[in-house]
Amino acid sequence: MELTINIPALLFPAISLIMLAYTNRFLALASLVRSLKSKYEDGDKNAALHKQIENLRYRLKLIKNMQAFGVLSFASCLFCMFFIYLEWNTVAEILFALSLIFFMISLIISLIEIQISTKALELELSSLEELDNPSIVSRFKKKFDKD
């Protein structure tokens, strides 16, 4: 297969859209951090709040890494196109492969962050529910604890 300038150009919209999604996630998380900070400063310093802060710190690191690998993917794609223009096909192919790898790593980190985010939301919801109406997670825990 011959690598033409059109092939790496196909990644541009995908990378741009995923970076926009990552930025939106970051902004939502930043808002949540500010909200928790004001709660903490108002004197609400319970253990659950500390766990939420710890969870948010980890998620912020994941989002930073997602964005970094997305940028690396975008840059590799740009350099790939530049080397296709210079007709250095071997370098261009290596850069295109790197671009795909960086994009895949970014998506895998995103999946991990989504899982952690969902788990945090499930824990938050389960703390709001009444004891006689347990969450799905609680039901599974009870089922496995009985066995």
Side-chain angles (χ1 to χ4, degrees):
M1 181 178 100
E2 185 181 335
L3 187 64
T4 65
I5 203 155
N6 293 331
I7 294 172
L10 290 173
L11 273 182
F12 272 49
I15 296 170
S16 298
L17 286 173
I18 206 74
M19 291 299 292
L20 182 62
Y22 293 166
T23 301
N24 286 340
R25 259 196 199 137
F26 174 77
L27 291 174
L29 215 55
S31 173
L32 186 56
V33 167
R34 288 184 184 98
S35 167
L36 285 177
K37 182 180 183 281
S38 68
K39 248 184 179 179
Y40 187 81
E41 288 174 345
D42 289 342
D44 186 10
K45 299 179 182 179
N46 59 26
L49 186 63
H50 286 287
K51 286 183 180 181
Q52 284 179 332
I53 291 169
E54 187 178 304
N55 180 284
L56 289 174
R57 275 201 175 120
Y58 184 61
R59 288 175 56 201
L60 282 171
K61 287 178 188 176
L62 288 174
I63 290 174
K64 177 183 72 169
N65 290 327
M66 288 167 14
Q67 290 176 329
F69 279 106
V71 168
L72 286 172
S73 177
F74 199 76
S76 295
C77 210
L78 281 172
F79 283 118
C80 171
M81 292 175 70
F82 178 70
F83 284 109
I84 289 172
Y85 176 74
L86 293 178
E87 296 182 358
W88 293 13
N89 292 334
T90 305
V91 176
E93 289 172 1
I94 291 169
L95 286 169
F96 184 67
L98 281 174
S99 179
L100 291 175
I101 290 168
F102 290 146
F103 194 55
M104 188 174 21
I105 291 169
S106 176
L107 290 173
I108 289 169
I109 295 171
S110 173
L111 180 64
I112 292 168
E113 195 275 333
I114 289 169
Q115 297 298 319
I116 292 169
S117 173
T118 305
K119 182 180 174 186
L121 287 173
E122 181 63 37
L123 289 173
E124 190 72 24
L125 286 174
S126 68
S127 70
L128 295 175
E129 291 178 329
E130 297 176 2
L131 293 176
D132 61 354
N133 186 16
S135 68
I136 293 171
V137 172
S138 299
R139 288 180 188 166
F140 281 123
K141 282 182 183 178
K142 285 181 182 179
K143 180 177 176 127
F144 288 116
D145 287 341
K146 288 179 184 176
D147 295 338

